[in-house]
mmCIF file of all heavy atoms in Angstrom:
data_model
loop_
_atom_site.group_PDB
_atom_site.id
_atom_site.type_symbol
_atom_site.label_atom_id
_atom_site.label_comp_id
_atom_site.label_asym_id
_atom_site.label_seq_id
_atom_site.Cartn_x
_atom_site.Cartn_y
_atom_site.Cartn_z
ATOM 1 N N VAL W 546 -10.637 39.192 3.664
ATOM 2 C CA VAL W 546 -10.653 38.098 4.642
ATOM 3 C C VAL W 546 -12.037 37.865 5.249
ATOM 4 O O VAL W 546 -12.233 36.927 6.016
ATOM 5 C CB VAL W 546 -9.634 38.354 5.787
ATOM 6 C CG1 VAL W 546 -8.216 38.355 5.251
ATOM 7 C CG2 VAL W 546 -9.921 39.665 6.514
ATOM 8 N N ASN W 620 2.477 8.290 11.759
ATOM 9 C CA ASN W 620 3.817 8.693 12.225
ATOM 10 C C ASN W 620 4.536 9.647 11.259
ATOM 11 O O ASN W 620 5.622 10.139 11.565
ATOM 12 C CB ASN W 620 4.679 7.461 12.500
ATOM 13 C CG ASN W 620 4.853 6.596 11.257
ATOM 14 O OD1 ASN W 620 3.952 6.520 10.425
ATOM 15 N ND2 ASN W 620 5.983 5.957 11.123
ATOM 16 N N GLY W 631 3.157 24.831 5.418
ATOM 17 C CA GLY W 631 4.259 25.804 5.416
ATOM 18 C C GLY W 631 4.657 26.265 4.029
ATOM 19 O O GLY W 631 4.831 27.462 3.773
ATOM 20 N N TRP W 632 4.784 25.296 3.113
ATOM 21 C CA TRP W 632 5.211 25.664 1.756
ATOM 22 C C TRP W 632 4.093 26.356 0.989
ATOM 23 O O TRP W 632 4.338 27.270 0.202
ATOM 24 C CB TRP W 632 5.700 24.419 1.010
ATOM 25 C CG TRP W 632 6.962 23.849 1.599
ATOM 26 C CD1 TRP W 632 7.561 24.215 2.788
ATOM 27 C CD2 TRP W 632 7.781 22.810 1.059
ATOM 28 N NE1 TRP W 632 8.687 23.471 3.006
ATOM 29 C CE2 TRP W 632 8.856 22.603 1.962
ATOM 30 C CE3 TRP W 632 7.717 22.032 -0.094
ATOM 31 C CZ2 TRP W 632 9.847 21.650 1.736
ATOM 32 C CZ3 TRP W 632 8.707 21.078 -0.324
ATOM 33 C CH2 TRP W 632 9.755 20.892 0.571
ATOM 34 N N SER W 663 -2.838 37.299 -14.406
ATOM 35 C CA SER W 663 -1.984 36.124 -14.667
ATOM 36 C C SER W 663 -2.139 35.080 -13.561
ATOM 37 O O SER W 663 -2.064 33.878 -13.807
ATOM 38 C CB SER W 663 -0.514 36.537 -14.795
ATOM 39 O OG SER W 663 -0.001 36.954 -13.536
ATOM 40 N N VAL W 666 -5.114 32.963 -14.346
ATOM 41 C CA VAL W 666 -4.813 31.995 -15.421
ATOM 42 C C VAL W 666 -4.131 30.756 -14.815
ATOM 43 O O VAL W 666 -4.464 29.612 -15.141
ATOM 44 C CB VAL W 666 -3.914 32.644 -16.509
ATOM 45 C CG1 VAL W 666 -3.460 31.592 -17.525
ATOM 46 C CG2 VAL W 666 -4.662 33.784 -17.198
ATOM 47 N N ILE W 694 -24.674 16.030 5.362
ATOM 48 C CA ILE W 694 -23.965 17.275 5.113
ATOM 49 C C ILE W 694 -24.856 18.398 5.650
ATOM 50 O O ILE W 694 -26.066 18.303 5.589
ATOM 51 C CB ILE W 694 -23.657 17.450 3.602
ATOM 52 C CG1 ILE W 694 -22.723 18.623 3.375
ATOM 53 C CG2 ILE W 694 -24.911 17.581 2.779
ATOM 54 C CD1 ILE W 694 -22.151 18.684 1.962
ATOM 55 N N LEU W 722 -16.573 42.398 11.852
ATOM 56 C CA LEU W 722 -16.257 42.849 10.486
ATOM 57 C C LEU W 722 -17.349 43.781 9.968
ATOM 58 O O LEU W 722 -17.062 44.785 9.312
ATOM 59 C CB LEU W 722 -16.104 41.645 9.553
ATOM 60 C CG LEU W 722 -14.787 40.876 9.658
ATOM 61 C CD1 LEU W 722 -14.880 39.543 8.936
ATOM 62 C CD2 LEU W 722 -13.630 41.689 9.085
ATOM 63 N N TYR W 743 -26.490 42.406 10.925
ATOM 64 C CA TYR W 743 -26.539 41.834 12.284
ATOM 65 C C TYR W 743 -27.733 40.888 12.435
ATOM 66 O O TYR W 743 -27.612 39.794 12.990
ATOM 67 C CB TYR W 743 -26.634 42.941 13.353
ATOM 68 C CG TYR W 743 -25.423 43.847 13.429
ATOM 69 C CD1 TYR W 743 -25.569 45.241 13.541
ATOM 70 C CD2 TYR W 743 -24.120 43.320 13.406
ATOM 71 C CE1 TYR W 743 -24.463 46.075 13.621
ATOM 72 C CE2 TYR W 743 -23.012 44.149 13.485
ATOM 73 C CZ TYR W 743 -23.184 45.532 13.582
ATOM 74 O OH TYR W 743 -22.091 46.348 13.659
ATOM 75 N N SER W 821 9.276 40.393 5.960
ATOM 76 C CA SER W 821 9.113 39.235 5.063
ATOM 77 C C SER W 821 9.925 38.039 5.559
ATOM 78 O O SER W 821 9.617 36.898 5.236
ATOM 79 C CB SER W 821 9.495 39.583 3.628
ATOM 80 O OG SER W 821 10.879 39.821 3.536
ATOM 81 N N PHE W 925 -5.630 45.797 17.876
ATOM 82 C CA PHE W 925 -4.473 46.598 17.448
ATOM 83 C C PHE W 925 -4.872 48.021 17.062
ATOM 84 O O PHE W 925 -4.130 48.976 17.293
ATOM 85 C CB PHE W 925 -3.763 45.908 16.280
ATOM 86 C CG PHE W 925 -2.590 46.690 15.741
ATOM 87 C CD1 PHE W 925 -1.461 46.907 16.522
ATOM 88 C CD2 PHE W 925 -2.613 47.214 14.449
ATOM 89 C CE1 PHE W 925 -0.381 47.635 16.037
ATOM 90 C CE2 PHE W 925 -1.537 47.945 13.956
ATOM 91 C CZ PHE W 925 -0.407 48.151 14.748
#
Side-chain angles (χ1 to χ4, degrees):
V546 295
N620 60 327
W632 293 10
S663 70
V666 173
I694 189 168
L722 283 167
Y743 295 136
S821 68
F925 178 66

